[in-house]
């Protein structure tokens, strides 16, 4: 886990540098980096840090949705899927932290985005509904 975390941190730093120098970077990749770091932090038991990483990923994911809005349909669907996953992770972490009032909203947002991206009958929709 430590090696993976260091690799993600290095990649995140590289994306930050790239994003400052190049406006054409893929915002969804940046959101995924924060999401993946949050997943690693969660597995290590650092739930508070995971919440911060998921919150940062969500901010970036929302920005990505605005940037791809109206452009390629495939990119839009990818953005919905990624952001839906981040919302789901944030809801789970809120539950782990005992923040009951902050659990349902992210899970509902996740479900809505996943339904748009995958369709009502996709098996992943059942996971979010349970």
């Amino acid at each position: 886990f430590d090696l993976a975390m260091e690799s993600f941190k290095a990649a995140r730093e590289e994306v930050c540098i790239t994003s400052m120098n190049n406006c054409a970077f893929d915002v969804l990749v940046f959101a995924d980096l924060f999401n993946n770091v949050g997943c690693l932090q969660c597995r290590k038991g650092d739930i508070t840090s995971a919440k911060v990483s998921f919150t940062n990923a969500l901010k970036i994911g929302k920005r990505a949705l605005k940037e791809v809005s109206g452009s390629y349909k495939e990119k839009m669907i990818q953005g919905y899927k990624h952001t839906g996953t981040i919302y789901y992770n944030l809801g789970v972490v809120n539950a782990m932290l005992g923040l009951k009032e902050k659990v349902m909203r992210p899970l509902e947002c996740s479900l809505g985005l996943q339904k748009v991206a995958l369709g009502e009958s996709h098996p992943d929709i059942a996971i979010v509904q349970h």
Side-chain angles (χ1 to χ4, degrees):
F1 281 119
D2 290 334
L3 181 58
M5 185 67 99
E6 289 305 313
S7 296
F8 279 123
K9 286 180 181 177
R12 183 178 64 193
E13 304 248 339
E14 183 62 32
V15 171
C16 287
I17 292 167
T18 302
S19 68
M20 288 183 225
N21 297 328
N22 181 6
C23 295
F25 78 103
D26 189 348
V27 179
L28 291 173
V29 171
F30 199 33
D32 277 347
L33 286 170
F34 274 102
N35 186 57
N36 290 337
V37 167
C39 289
L40 286 172
Q41 290 165 326
C42 202
R43 287 186 182 190
K44 285 187 77 173
D46 190 357
I47 308 304
T48 304
S49 294
K51 180 177 170 68
V52 171
S53 293
F54 292 139
T55 301
N56 286 330
L58 185 58
K59 288 177 188 173
I60 296 164
K62 286 180 178 179
R63 179 177 147 208
L65 286 179
K66 288 179 185 173
E67 287 186 10
V68 298
S69 177
S71 67
Y72 300 103
K73 183 178 179 180
E74 182 179 312
K75 248 236 201 267
M76 192 70 170
I77 290 171
Q78 183 183 12
Y80 283 143
K81 285 171 55 178
H82 287 269
T83 307
T85 299
I86 296 166
Y87 267 116
Y88 178 82
N89 290 340
L90 187 58
V92 170
V93 164
N94 285 338
M96 293 171 82
L97 290 170
L99 303 172
K100 294 178 184 177
E101 71 283 355
K102 294 186 176 185
V103 173
M104 288 308 294
R105 175 90 170 112
L107 294 179
E108 289 168 352
C109 289
S110 174
L111 181 60
L113 289 169
Q114 296 291 357
K115 281 181 178 179
V116 170
L118 303 172
E120 297 270 342
S121 62
H122 194 278
D124 287 352
I125 299 301
I127 292 171
V128 177
Q129 288 179 323
H130 288 21

